[in-house]
């Protein structure tokens, strides 16, 4: 190994070199050249001894190092003489970031240090109007967190919160908190906080979104892919502060939260706005308002691609002196069926997926499930005490139990099948119907059933939305999308057409739809004119 004195004497041999080589330049010279050892060896004579650094380096390596460190070639030769021994003994793999990460894993946690500690991006208070110009101090010490990375797996690290004693703002890695409001910083952070003690690297979230778009991977399976292939359990610390009970497992809700926060932040960055959400309350409702606002904006102003055209979906040709165009649109309903409020056509979301009605219709949880019956339910039942209504519920429960047993049997038959996929495949028929003898048909002759029977119906499970209506160009670009709650009617589709293409000249010339005849007649009646 060369001493600093020897390095200096080598550098002094070339006039001007010792003065122009900064520490930074010298370090990058050593780092870069040590990665080119194999190229340098390739250019040596056949009897060259691998143990010692060669005195000369090949022309292409010399000119590359000159460009990369911004030095003339004679300076590069001078640097080579000074640093060649260091470069030759430099263990490239051993000193790479991987080795450094190992050092931090081995010794860092004892000293509460980590290479990936998550600090707030600011060191001073940035609240408008706050006069505190001192460096901010940390609040309640370091927090142990798990950072899910692409290259090093699930890492044990720390998060630091800084606090302003004057305006009482707390600065976290992703956002600041003041008066119960969480304000995300402008731009998109490299690690997104998805839980109290969990952060996910942006590249990992990018991978999840790619998996979802390209191979339709569910969030549950995306988390499994990470845990199985990328989480690197061998990197987990063996340290008293990090007991084996601490979970390094990425959960489904982390994937969804990461996806959600990243998408919202990208949307806000694009519009040069700042995302503000409540800091208190449950994580699962924190972003509801922001999502609702975004959806409303999309409904009003259209998807970002609503004005899309390309050679595949629009033909343009010469017609006399001018040009003519033909822009095509395909309309289709996709049956996805999200759980929704049990009241017909009610668009309000459910409080949780276990509810059957929205907040506004919550009282209906206590009213008999049979259609048309307004009697209160009896405790532990979903129906009123009327015998037929109770019978309908019991029939439903028997059917549900049989289905549950079937599900169990199927699961045992294919043990390797992930549990969650099963939930989606076998679901109970949630609507129950029954024909009853109706002795009391009233006085009206017209309303009487000749056989004296009547059908009763009840929805015991959650209602699901009818379909997602999609406007798509033949090239595959989706221009608009809306949820149809109770049915896919032509009037709703026309209403959507008018709203999406409200700008003069934007209407499609040809619409392809599976109910085209009715749509066409409807459009003629309301005198909807294509351009
Ligand atoms: Zn302040
Ligand atoms: Zn197109
Ligand atoms: Zn409702
Ligand atoms: Zn009833």
């Amino acid at each position: 190994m060369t001493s600093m004195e020897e390095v200096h004497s080598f550098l002094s041999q070339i006039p001007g070199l010792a003065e122009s080589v900064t520490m930074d330049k010298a370090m990058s010279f050593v780092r870069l050249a040590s990665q080119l050892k194999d190229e340098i060896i390739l250019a040596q004579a056949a009897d060259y001894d691998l143990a010692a650094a060669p005195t000369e380096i090949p022309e292409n390596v010399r000119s590359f190092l000159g460009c990369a460190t911004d030095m003339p070639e004679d300076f590069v030769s001078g640097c080579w003489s000074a640093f060649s021994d260091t470069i030759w003994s430099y263990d490239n793999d051993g000193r790479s970031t991987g080795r450094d990460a190992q050092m931090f894993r081995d010794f860092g946690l004892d000293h509460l240090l980590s290479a990936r500690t998550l600090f707030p991006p600011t060191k001073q208070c940035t609240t408008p109007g706050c006069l505190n110009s001192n460096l901010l101090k940390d609040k309640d010490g370091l927090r142990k967190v798990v950072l899910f990375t692409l290259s090093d797996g699930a890492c044990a690290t720390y998060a630091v919160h800084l606090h302003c004693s004057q305006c009482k703002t707390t600065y976290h890695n992703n956002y600041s908190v003041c008066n119960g409001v969480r304000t995300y910083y402008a731009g998109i952070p490299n690690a997104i906080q998805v839980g109290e003690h969990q952060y996910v690297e942006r590249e990992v979230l990018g991978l999840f979104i790619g998996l979802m778009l390209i191979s339709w991977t569910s969030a549950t399976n995306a988390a499994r892919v990470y845990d199985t292939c990328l989480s690197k359990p061998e990197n987990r610390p063996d340290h008293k502060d990090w007991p084996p009970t601490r979970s390094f497992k990425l959960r489904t809700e982390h994937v969804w939260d990461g996806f959600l926060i990243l998408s919202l932040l990208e949307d806000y960055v694009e519009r040069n706005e700042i995302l503000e959400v409540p800091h208190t309350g449950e994580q699962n409702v924190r972003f509801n308002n922001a999502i609702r606002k975004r959806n409303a904006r999309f409904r009003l102003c259209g998807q970002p691609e609503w004005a899309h055209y390309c050679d595949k979906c629009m033909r343009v040709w010469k017609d006399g002196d001018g040009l003519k165009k033909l822009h095509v649109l395909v309309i289709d309903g996709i049956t996805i069926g999200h759980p929704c409020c049990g009241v017909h056509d009610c668009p309000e979301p459910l409080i949780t997926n276990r509810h059957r009605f929205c907040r506004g219709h919550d009282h209906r949880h206590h009213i008999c499930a049979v259609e048309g019956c307004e009697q209160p339910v009896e405790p532990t039942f979903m129906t009123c005490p009327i015998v037929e209504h109770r019978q309908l519920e019991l029939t439903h429960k028997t059917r549900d139990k049989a289905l549950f047993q079937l599900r169990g049997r199927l699961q045992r038959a294919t043990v390797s099948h992930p549990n969650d996929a099963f939930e989606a495949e076998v679901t109970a028929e949630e609507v129950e119907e029954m024909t009853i003898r109706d002795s009391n048909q009233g006085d009206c002759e017209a309303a009487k059933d000749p056989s004296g029977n009547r059908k009763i119906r009840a929805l015991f499970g959650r209602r699901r939305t009818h379909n997602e209506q999609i406007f798509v160009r033949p090239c595959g670009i989706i221009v608009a999308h809306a949820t149809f709650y109770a049915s896919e009617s032509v009037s709703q589709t026309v209403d959507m057409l008018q709203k999406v293409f409200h700008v003069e000249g934007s209407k499609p010339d040809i619409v392809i739809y599976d109910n085209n005849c009715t749509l066409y007649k409807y459009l003629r009646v309301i005198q909807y004119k294509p351009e």
Side-chain angles (χ1 to χ4, degrees):
M1 209 52 100
T2 330
S3 71
M4 288 307 266
E5 206 173 341
E6 286 167 319
V7 168
H8 188 259
S9 81
F10 272 120
L11 293 176
S12 309
Q13 286 170 14
I14 292 175
L17 178 57
E19 294 79 41
S20 75
V21 175
T22 57
M23 195 62 199
D24 185 37
K25 249 183 203 183
M27 276 160 62
S28 61
F29 187 90
V30 171
R31 220 179 42 243
L32 290 170
S34 68
Q35 290 182 51
L36 298 170
K37 268 199 285 194
D38 287 342
E39 271 82 1
I40 297 170
I41 292 169
L42 198 64
Q44 303 307 315
D47 57 349
Y48 159 71
D49 172 17
L50 286 173
T55 46
E56 282 299 317
I57 50 174
E59 180 53 39
N60 61 335
V61 172
R62 191 182 8 255
S63 64
F64 162 75
L65 289 172
C67 295
T69 55
D70 193 23
M71 283 195 288
E73 290 201 11
D74 56 330
F75 278 22
V76 173
S77 300
C79 280
W80 177 257
S81 320
F83 301 121
S84 58
D85 276 353
T86 313
I87 291 166
W88 224 242
S89 55
Y90 196 96
D91 175 5
N92 212 21
D93 293 332
R95 291 186 201 199
S96 64
T97 45
R99 175 90 179 117
D100 291 350
Q102 183 64 43
M103 292 292 174
F104 274 107
R105 276 198 297 276
D106 290 349
F107 309 111
L109 300 176
D110 274 338
H111 302 88
L112 298 177
L113 292 173
S114 148
R116 294 180 181 270
T117 300
L118 296 153
F119 284 92
T122 176
K123 303 281 173 272
Q124 282 166 314
C125 185
T126 54
T127 306
C130 179
L131 299 174
N132 185 3
S133 60
N134 294 334
L135 283 179
L136 297 172
K137 288 290 151 209
D138 64 331
K139 195 188 175 194
D140 320 326
L142 297 170
R143 280 158 178 76
K144 290 191 212 95
V145 298
V146 177
L147 173 63
F148 297 94
T149 68
L150 197 58
S151 54
D152 287 338
C155 300
T157 184
Y158 304 100
V160 177
H161 298 176
L162 298 177
H163 183 69
C164 173
S165 52
Q166 286 194 19
C167 67
K168 311 290 177 215
T169 304
T170 307
Y171 292 84
H172 299 235
N173 179 265
N174 285 188
Y175 49 78
S176 64
V177 178
C178 190
N179 296 330
V181 177
R182 178 186 285 193
T183 309
Y184 278 82
Y185 304 124
I188 298 169
N190 290 329
I192 292 191
Q193 186 172 2
V194 295
E196 185 69 26
H197 302 281
Q198 291 85 9
Y199 288 75
V200 181
E201 247 183 9
R202 203 174 150 189
E203 283 95 339
V204 175
L205 292 173
L207 173 75
F208 291 160
I209 294 173
L211 283 171
M212 287 177 178
L213 291 178
I214 295 161
S215 57
W216 305 356
T217 306
S218 67
T220 311
N221 281 339
R224 281 192 187 127
V225 166
Y226 188 89
D227 284 335
T228 316
C229 313
L230 295 168
S231 94
K232 301 198 179 171
E234 68 277 13
N235 284 357
R236 277 173 210 167
D238 177 18
H239 193 272
K240 61 178 182 351
D241 287 354
W242 296 82
T245 45
R246 180 170 280 268
S247 177
F248 282 81
K249 205 169 151 53
L250 190 69
R251 294 205 305 268
T252 308
E253 54 268 35
H254 297 148
V255 176
W256 275 129
D257 278 348
F259 177 92
L260 182 83
I261 298 168
L262 179 61
S263 311
L264 278 175
L265 285 176
E266 281 176 347
D267 183 44
Y268 276 74
V269 165
E270 209 164 275
R271 291 179 299 114
N272 252 332
E273 282 186 27
I274 296 291
L275 174 61
E276 279 185 357
V277 294
H279 184 64
T280 47
E282 295 287 317
Q283 172 80 351
N284 61 351
V285 293
R286 198 183 308 285
F287 297 98
N288 283 2
N289 245 340
I291 298 170
R292 236 172 262 151
K293 265 205 243 164
R294 183 176 188 265
N295 287 348
R297 205 183 69 249
F298 269 50
R299 265 198 296 277
L300 194 72
C301 313
Q303 301 268 358
E305 285 298 326
W306 82 268
H308 162 90
Y309 61 90
C310 71
D311 286 348
K312 285 183 187 160
C313 60
M314 187 164 93
R315 287 282 146 80
V316 180
W317 69 95
K318 260 200 163 150
D319 185 53
D321 290 339
L323 288 173
K324 279 214 157 175
K325 72 152 177 83
L326 197 71
H327 205 181
V328 181
L329 181 78
V330 181
I331 302 179
D332 202 7
I334 301 174
T335 310
I336 294 178
H338 304 292
C340 66
C341 175
V343 172
H344 194 80
D345 244 350
C346 173
E348 281 306 307
L350 300 174
I351 304 163
T352 77
N353 269 358
R354 282 188 301 280
H355 285 78
R356 290 186 297 129
F357 296 97
C358 69
R359 200 182 292 275
H361 291 123
D362 191 43
H363 63 281
R364 298 225 55 108
H365 283 113
H366 311 291
I367 292 175
C368 180
V370 175
E371 283 178 11
C373 177
E374 292 294 323
Q375 297 296 316
V377 294
E378 277 200 330
T380 74
F381 287 102
M382 285 158 82
T383 47
C384 66
I386 296 177
V387 178
E388 290 88 355
H389 294 186
R390 183 57 45 81
Q391 186 54 45
L392 193 67
E393 184 174 353
L394 295 176
T395 311
H396 178 74
K397 279 186 175 154
T398 317
R399 191 203 294 272
D400 228 20
K401 201 172 155 198
L403 194 90
F404 183 76
Q405 285 165 347
L406 170 71
R407 192 183 292 159
R409 272 211 294 280
L410 284 171
Q411 230 160 355
R412 279 195 292 280
T414 45
V415 276
S416 63
H417 210 302
N419 302 335
D420 50 294
F422 251 96
E423 298 294 318
E425 275 169 28
V426 188
T427 55
E429 186 61 62
E430 320 225 60
V431 176
E432 200 67 52
E433 269 185 347
M434 193 166 87
T435 307
I436 55 165
R437 185 96 195 131
D438 195 1
S439 51
N440 180 20
Q441 289 213 10
D443 294 335
C444 175
E445 286 297 319
K448 278 187 183 171
D449 183 306
S451 55
N453 289 338
R454 189 160 60 91
K455 237 183 199 166
I456 55 169
R457 244 168 78 94
L459 178 70
F460 288 111
R462 281 163 306 164
R463 187 186 287 279
R464 287 183 172 265
T465 57
H466 187 271
N467 70 292
E468 297 298 307
Q469 196 76 342
I470 306 287
F471 285 4
V472 57
R473 297 291 182 194
C475 57
I477 294 284
I478 294 176
V479 264
H481 143 233
T483 304
F484 284 6
Y485 285 88
S487 61
E488 183 189 352
S489 71
V490 170
S491 60
Q492 274 175 295
T493 308
V494 168
D495 184 55
M496 190 175 158
L497 256 178
Q498 285 175 321
K499 280 193 182 129
V500 173
F501 299 106
H502 63 283
V503 175
E504 189 81 17
S506 65
K507 284 174 194 162
D509 303 288
I510 292 182
V511 170
I512 300 165
Y513 183 43
D514 54 13
N515 195 1
N516 248 356
C517 304
T518 325
L519 179 69
Y520 183 70
K521 278 184 212 154
Y522 194 98
L523 291 174
R524 283 195 41 173
V525 170
I526 62 161
Q527 299 186 336
Y528 180 86
K529 287 191 184 65
E531 277 90 19

